[in-house]
Amino acid sequence: SLKQLFLSAGGGLSGRDLNKRSNDYRVPEGVGVVAGAVYLVCLFGMIPFYVLHAQDAATMTTLSTFLSALLSVCCMILLGFADDVLNLRWRHKLILPTIASLPILMVYYVTYNNTYIVTPFPIPQLTGITVFNMRFLYYVYMGMLAVFCTNAINILAGVNGVEVGQSVVIALSLLLNSLLNLSTDGTSPEHMFCVYLVCPFIGVSLALLYYNWYPSEVFVGDTFCYFAGMTFAVLGILGHF
């Protein structure tokens, strides 16, 4: 079975569960890579449908957006699994998500390139400026968003089911938001993009949560934290949330 495969692999792929009274046996760690692999297979299966319905430039733009999201998520799954095995240092965990976000940032620049923000209270009242163009600083912010999302999931690691549980709640919230917007505007490509990416994520996360819930049979490892964080960063950047 996969559990025995992880236990026999050695390295950083097994650990002890400190949440149990009896923690003298080892639990498979880094099993989030299985959920990530299934998620990628689901997204790969969607590519032919994009190509078959590519009848104009707008559809091809949507395809490039989808492929860039797939590339960034794939990179983070690889880096997360490397972290589980090699136990990377924290400075690497700050740099690597930024590098992995480059594909989606470049696609955002080519397809959208909107770097305006609405200024918060009380700036409009004091200066009369309601919108502000951040220019290249907006891309710095989005690169930092990828770092924040991955580490925000990872920082709550250590309690059975918390990493996956919070990811499921966030994903369901994003799905509900997109469905509500599609109910009023059924042609929104951003919200359809979110539905395409978040539905398989919810499916693989629920399956993983079943085994990671207390008392956990598996640990998700940094792989799932990186995978979930980058998925949310992709949805936030390319979904224009």
Side-chain angles (χ1 to χ4, degrees):
S1 65
L2 287 175
K3 291 173 61 176
Q4 292 301 322
L5 182 64
F6 276 81
L7 289 173
S8 61
L13 298 181
S14 64
R16 301 187 185 278
D17 192 349
L18 301 180
N19 295 296
K20 298 184 178 71
R21 291 181 180 273
S22 176
N23 58 3
D24 56 347
Y25 64 95
R26 304 192 71 81
V27 179
E29 192 164 354
V31 183
V33 70
V34 178
V38 175
Y39 180 75
L40 291 178
V41 170
C42 293
L43 294 191
F44 286 146
M46 294 182 184
I47 295 176
F49 295 97
Y50 272 99
V51 175
L52 291 175
H53 292 84
Q55 300 176 353
D56 51 27
T59 311
M60 293 306 297
T61 299
T62 305
L63 176 62
S64 66
T65 303
F66 182 81
L67 292 178
S68 68
L70 188 58
L71 178 58
S72 291
V73 173
C74 186
C75 287
M76 286 311 300
I77 293 174
L78 174 62
L79 295 173
F81 191 66
D83 189 14
D84 283 329
V85 176
L86 303 176
N87 195 20
L88 301 177
R89 297 184 177 181
W90 271 104
R91 63 172 177 266
H92 300 142
K93 296 181 182 181
L94 297 177
I95 297 173
L96 295 178
T98 307
I99 297 175
S101 67
L102 287 177
I104 56 177
L105 294 182
M106 293 302 98
V107 169
Y108 182 89
Y109 175 78
V110 173
T111 60
Y112 201 64
N113 196 26
N114 185 352
T115 58
Y116 286 89
I117 63 170
V118 178
T119 56
F121 175 86
I123 295 178
Q125 288 75 14
L126 297 176
T127 64
I129 300 175
T130 56
V131 293
F132 179 73
N133 188 2
M134 295 183 63
R135 302 184 186 278
F136 78 93
L137 290 177
Y138 194 83
Y139 290 91
V140 175
Y141 155 73
M142 288 193 292
M144 295 173 64
L145 176 65
V147 178
F148 168 78
C149 288
T150 53
N151 288 281
I153 302 295
N154 193 24
I155 202 169
L156 292 178
V159 180
N160 295 165
V162 171
E163 304 109 297
V164 191
Q166 67 167 341
S167 299
V168 170
V169 172
I170 295 171
L172 288 173
S173 301
L174 292 172
L175 178 61
L176 178 61
N177 174 72
S178 293
L179 292 177
L180 289 175
N181 280 276
L182 287 172
S183 65
T184 57
D185 181 13
T187 61
S188 173
E190 291 84 7
H191 292 291
M192 285 302 303
F193 174 79
C194 178
V195 172
Y196 290 150
L197 264 68
V198 83
C199 284
F201 179 83
I202 293 173
V204 298
S205 296
L206 286 175
L208 186 58
L209 182 61
Y210 176 81
Y211 293 98
N212 184 236
W213 194 260
Y214 182 86
S216 64
E217 299 180 37
V218 299
F219 293 152
V220 299
D222 290 334
T223 307
F224 180 82
C225 298
Y226 280 40
F227 156 50
M230 181 54 74
T231 302
F232 295 144
V234 164
L235 294 173
I237 294 172
L238 297 182
H240 310 312
F241 289 119

